[in-house]
Amino acid sequence: MSNSQATQQTYRAINFADKLALFSDQWQARVVAEMNDYQFKVVRIEGDFVWHQHADTDETFIVLDGQLRIDMRDGFVMLSAGEMFVVPKGTEHKPFAEREVKLLLIEPRGVKNTGDETNERTAANDLWI
Ligand code: NI
């Protein structure tokens, strides 16, 4: 069989907007892909999160839609759509969104969203969409 006759595999792009349209609840991240032991998660958040840190890993925030403020103990960063920020491991941080913001999070599989704390914002892990 020549190459032109070979069966073509279908590959599908992962579309963030399409994934986000599948749910409307806030603060519960959904996994859309994995790369080695890292997960890519989409999430909607609005309002104030809790101060926390991740002792073992950095955490990447990529804003897809809206505006996100991330407070740290010695300053803060404002992120708009198309911008990203990496919170270094062990750095206390508190995300805040005045209006709903849609994010892509990148972090290792199994990371708890509230870091070393457990509270009403603690969400389930490994929810795929
Ligand atoms: Ni965090």
Side-chain angles (χ1 to χ4, degrees), residues 49 52-54 59 61 87 93 95 107 111-115:
F49 203 59
H52 67 283
Q53 61 169 308
H54 307 278
E59 179 176 24
F61 294 81
V87 177
H93 57 285
E107 54 196 11
V111 166
K112 192 162 78 177
N113 66 326
T114 49

Side-chain angles (χ1 to χ4, degrees), residues 45 61 63 66-70 77-80 95-97 101 103:
I45 72 171
F61 294 81
V63 175
Q67 270 212 322
L68 178 71
R69 173 182 169 126
I70 305 174
V77 63
M78 295 290 303
L79 301 176
S80 297
F96 169 77
V101 60
L103 305 176

Side-chain angles (χ1 to χ4, degrees), residues 5-41:
Q5 292 171 315
T7 303
Q8 292 295 296
Q9 176 73 38
T10 300
Y11 295 102
R12 194 168 297 170
I14 294 167
N15 184 288
F16 300 131
D18 288 350
K19 293 292 189 183
L20 282 157
L22 296 175
F23 64 97
S24 59
D25 57 324
Q26 298 175 331
W27 302 105
Q28 178 58 68
R30 264 75 168 190
V31 182
V32 298
E34 285 184 343
M35 186 187 77
N36 300 320
D37 57 346
Y38 272 72
Q39 292 183 327
F40 297 77
K41 309 177 197 178

